[in-house]
Amino acid sequence: MRRIAIALVHHPILDAQNAVVTGALTNMDVHDLARSARTYGCSDYFIVHPVDAQRELAARIVDHWTNGSSAKRIPDRKDALAVVRAVPRLEDAKAALGDGVEVWVTAARDLGRATSFPDARAALAKDGGPVLLVFGTGWGLAPEITDRADVVLAPIVGVGPWNHLSVRAACAIALDRLCAPA
Amino acid sequence: MRRIAIALVHHPILDAQNAVVTGALTNMDVHDLARSARTYGCSDYFIVHPVDAQRELAARIVDHWTNGSSAKRIPDRKDALAVVRAVPRLEDAKAALGDGVEVWVTAARDLGRATSFPDARAALAKDGGPVLLVFGTGWGLAPEITDRADVVLAPIVGVGPWNHLSVRAACAIALDRLCAPA
């Protein structure tokens, strides 16, 4: 099994009008994605945000739950938040994972060159470089990230055309499909 | 395929010390579980709360997103929130689904008579009465609910013993495992 890490990107992302924007940090995203990452054995969870004050906020949340009063109150959460770190750009997350890293992006819309989850799962189970699984906030990752990705995962489809899952749900489902024990 | 609905229970649930308590409504739970329910074709999402003011709060959130200003700003969310209603007790959710309803509960801990997700998926695909898939807030559903359940689903297990997923993640994964197209 290859090393897998996740990243949650706050810039560059799209808004509802397809403009490239920067999203605000959401506290619940820090917690939920960390808990899913920890459950499915991800080595790291990178919060990608270009704004210093937003990265500092992420670091304060992590510190509160790993060293602060909440670390004593809910020790399980400490194990999850320990995988989180905030970086300014997606390139920094890639660099942290070292040589041979592949960027796999997720999108709710069809980007035209999708790899199915079963195929991606098989690729992850082989030997190889680390995989950085990337999620976008807002209305999803901007083309400058998806166009350069090594793998574009197929959209998660439910029982009809409506597929506006939260990023917290989409990340949980993607990790379950890719990493859950058979 | 049988009709499936979800319920999120705020009482009776357990706290970290295994005491039976009542949990506060979390705004993100209203949204995320509604979006997952809508994606996977659930007919209803029942927010179970015994406190009148908390059910009124749930109704106000739903109204804001289905009739209020946010219904215009993010119309997709309207479709999701439309499946939500708040009821005082789990019995009310069962009654709303009519005769032959089965209660399927989820738990992060092993309750001793677990049905695997593949078996549950097969049972859901057959003809039969409606299924009410029940999630607990806090540290999970109290025994008075799990003991009476028709089906106890196997805990969602990741790559190690740590499985403290958020209820938003657990619901998304459970619905994907049970209802995603093959």
Side-chain angles (χ1 to χ4, degrees), chain B residues 22-55:
Chain B
T22 301
L25 186 73
T26 299
N27 177 59
M28 202 76 92
D29 291 349
V30 180
H31 286 260
D32 280 21
L33 274 68
R35 296 164 75 179
S36 295
R38 180 73 180 77
T39 298
Y40 289 101
C42 299
S43 63
D44 307 87
Y45 164 24
F46 298 97
I47 293 175
V48 179
H49 209 300
V51 177
D52 293 351
Q54 290 273 284
R55 291 198 307 283

Side-chain angles (χ1 to χ4, degrees), chain A residues 9-14 19-23 48 50 90 136-137 140-145:
Chain A
V9 170
H10 296 77
H11 177 89
I13 58 164
L14 301 176
V20 175
V21 295
T22 302
V48 179
L90 189 60
T137 52
L141 296 164
E144 74 176 85
I145 289 182

Side-chain angles (χ1 to χ4, degrees), chain A residues 9-84:
Chain A
V9 170
H10 296 77
H11 177 89
I13 58 164
L14 301 176
D15 70 6
Q17 285 74 43
N18 249 12
V20 175
V21 295
T22 302
L25 186 73
T26 299
N27 178 59
M28 202 75 93
D29 291 349
V30 180
H31 286 260
D32 281 20
L33 274 69
R35 295 163 75 179
S36 295
R38 181 72 180 76
T39 299
Y40 290 101
C42 300
S43 63
D44 307 86
Y45 164 23
F46 297 97
I47 293 175
V48 179
H49 208 300
V51 177
D52 293 351
Q54 290 273 285
R55 290 198 309 282
E56 285 163 22
L57 175 58
R60 279 184 60 190
I61 293 168
V62 171
D63 185 62
H64 176 71
W65 288 92
T66 52
N67 297 306
S69 58
S70 285
K72 292 181 193 69
R73 193 168 62 81
I74 307 183
D76 292 325
R77 198 65 61 86
K78 181 176 170 173
D79 297 332
L81 276 280
V83 305
V84 180

Side-chain angles (χ1 to χ4, degrees), chain A residues 26 28 32 35-36 38-41 74 76 79-80 139 156-160 162-166 168-169 172-173 176-177 179-181, chain B residues 26 28 32 35-36 38-41 74 76 79-80 139 156-160 162-166 168-169 172-173 176-177 179-181:
Chain A
T26 299
M28 202 75 93
D32 281 20
R35 295 163 75 179
S36 295
R38 181 72 180 76
T39 299
Y40 290 101
I74 307 183
D76 292 325
D79 297 332
W139 271 254
I156 294 170
V157 176
V159 301
W162 200 97
N163 71 337
H164 305 279
L165 291 167
S166 71
R168 296 163 293 283
I173 293 165
D176 187 60
R177 290 184 177 188
C179 305
Chain B
T26 299
M28 202 76 92
D32 280 21
R35 296 164 75 179
S36 295
R38 180 73 180 77
T39 298
Y40 289 101
I74 307 184
D76 292 325
D79 297 332
W139 270 253
I156 294 170
V157 176
V159 300
W162 200 98
N163 72 337
H164 306 279
L165 291 167
S166 71
R168 297 163 292 283
I173 293 166
D176 187 60
R177 289 184 178 188
C179 306

